[in-house]
Coordinates of all heavy atoms in Angstrom, one line a residue:
Chain A
I61 N 12.3 9.5 -8.6 CA 11.4 8.4 -8.4 C 11.9 7.4 -7.4 O 13.1 7.2 -7.2 CB 11.2 7.6 -9.8 CG1 9.9 6.7 -9.7 CG2 12.4 6.9 -10.2 CD1 9.4 6.3 -11.1
C62 N 11.0 6.9 -6.6 CA 11.3 5.9 -5.6 C 10.1 5.0 -5.4 O 9.0 5.3 -5.9 CB 11.8 6.5 -4.3 SG 10.6 7.3 -3.3
E63 N 10.4 3.9 -4.7 CA 9.3 3.0 -4.4 C 8.9 2.9 -2.9 O 9.8 3.3 -2.1 CB 9.7 1.6 -4.9 CG 9.6 1.4 -6.3 CD 10.2 0.1 -6.7 OE1 11.4 -0.1 -6.5 OE2 9.5 -0.8 -7.2
T64 N 7.7 2.5 -2.6 CA 7.3 2.3 -1.2 C 7.0 0.8 -1.1 O 6.5 0.2 -2.0 CB 6.1 3.2 -0.8 OG1 5.0 2.6 -1.4 CG2 6.3 4.6 -1.3
P65 N 7.1 0.3 0.2 CA 6.7 -1.1 0.4 C 5.2 -1.2 0.1 O 4.5 -0.2 0.4 CB 7.0 -1.3 1.9 CG 7.9 -0.2 2.3 CD 7.7 0.9 1.4
G66 N 4.8 -2.3 -0.4 CA 3.3 -2.5 -0.7 C 2.9 -2.0 -2.0 O 1.7 -1.8 -2.3
G67 N 3.9 -1.8 -2.9 CA 3.5 -1.5 -4.3 C 3.2 -0.1 -4.7 O 2.5 0.2 -5.6
G68 N 3.9 0.8 -3.9 CA 3.7 2.2 -4.3 C 4.9 2.8 -5.0 O 6.0 2.2 -4.9
V69 N 4.7 3.9 -5.7 CA 5.7 4.6 -6.4 C 5.6 6.1 -6.1 O 4.4 6.5 -5.9 CB 5.6 4.4 -8.0 CG1 6.5 5.3 -8.7 CG2 5.7 3.0 -8.4
I70 N 6.7 6.8 -5.8 CA 6.5 8.2 -5.6 C 7.4 8.9 -6.7 O 8.6 8.6 -6.8 CB 7.0 8.7 -4.2 CG1 6.4 7.8 -3.1 CG2 6.5 10.1 -4.0 CD1 6.7 8.2 -1.7
N71 N 6.9 9.9 -7.4 CA 7.7 10.6 -8.4 C 7.7 12.1 -8.1 O 6.8 12.6 -7.5 CB 7.2 10.4 -9.8 CG 6.0 11.3 -10.1 OD1 6.2 12.5 -10.5 ND2 4.8 10.8 -10.0
S72 N 8.8 12.7 -8.5 CA 8.8 14.2 -8.4 C 9.4 14.8 -9.7 O 10.3 15.5 -9.7 CB 9.7 14.6 -7.2 OG 11.0 14.1 -7.4
I73 N 8.7 14.4 -10.8 CA 9.2 14.8 -12.1 C 9.2 16.3 -12.2 O 10.1 17.0 -12.7 CB 8.3 14.2 -13.2 CG1 8.2 12.7 -13.1 CG2 8.9 14.6 -14.6 CD1 9.5 11.9 -13.1
G74 N 8.1 16.9 -11.6 CA 8.0 18.4 -11.7 C 7.6 18.9 -13.1 O 8.0 19.9 -13.5
L75 N 6.7 18.1 -13.7 CA 6.2 18.5 -15.0 C 7.2 18.9 -16.1 O 7.0 19.8 -16.8 CB 5.2 19.7 -14.8 CG 3.9 19.3 -14.0 CD1 3.1 20.5 -13.7 CD2 3.1 18.3 -14.8
A76 N 8.3 18.2 -16.0 CA 9.3 18.4 -17.1 C 8.7 18.3 -18.5 O 8.1 17.3 -18.8 CB 10.5 17.4 -16.9
N77 N 8.8 19.3 -19.3 CA 8.3 19.2 -20.6 C 8.9 20.4 -21.5 O 9.4 21.4 -20.9 CB 6.7 19.3 -20.6 CG 6.2 20.7 -20.5 OD1 6.0 21.4 -21.5 ND2 6.0 21.1 -19.2
P78 N 8.9 20.2 -22.8 CA 9.6 21.2 -23.6 C 8.9 22.5 -23.8 O 9.5 23.4 -24.4 CB 9.7 20.4 -25.0 CG 8.6 19.5 -25.0 CD 8.3 19.1 -23.6
G79 N 7.7 22.6 -23.3 CA 6.9 23.8 -23.5 C 6.2 23.7 -24.8 O 6.6 23.0 -25.7
V80 N 5.1 24.4 -24.9 CA 4.1 24.2 -26.0 C 4.8 24.5 -27.4 O 4.5 23.8 -28.3 CB 2.8 24.9 -25.8 CG1 3.0 26.4 -25.9 CG2 1.7 24.4 -26.8
E81 N 5.6 25.5 -27.4 CA 6.1 25.9 -28.8 C 7.1 24.8 -29.3 O 7.0 24.4 -30.4 CB 6.8 27.2 -28.7 CG 5.9 28.4 -28.5 CD 4.7 28.4 -29.4 OE1 4.8 28.0 -30.6 OE2 3.6 28.8 -29.0
A82 N 8.0 24.4 -28.4 CA 9.0 23.3 -28.8 C 8.2 22.0 -29.1 O 8.6 21.3 -30.0 CB 10.0 23.1 -27.7
F83 N 7.2 21.8 -28.3 CA 6.4 20.6 -28.6 C 5.8 20.7 -30.0 O 5.9 19.7 -30.8 CB 5.2 20.5 -27.6 CG 4.2 19.4 -27.9 CD1 4.5 18.1 -27.7 CD2 3.0 19.8 -28.5 CE1 3.5 17.1 -28.0 CE2 2.1 18.8 -28.8 CZ 2.3 17.5 -28.6
L84 N 5.2 21.8 -30.3 CA 4.6 21.9 -31.7 C 5.6 21.8 -32.8 O 5.4 21.1 -33.8 CB 3.9 23.3 -31.8 CG 2.6 23.4 -31.0 CD1 2.1 24.9 -31.1 CD2 1.5 22.5 -31.6
A85 N 6.8 22.3 -32.5 CA 7.9 22.3 -33.5 C 8.5 20.9 -33.7 O 8.8 20.4 -34.8 CB 9.0 23.3 -33.2

Side-chain angles (χ1 to χ4, degrees):
Chain A
I61 195 164
C62 70
E63 285 172 293
T64 73
V69 173
I70 314 184
N71 84 80
S72 60
I73 308 301
L75 292 174
N77 80 88
V80 68
E81 294 308 328
F83 169 80
L84 288 171

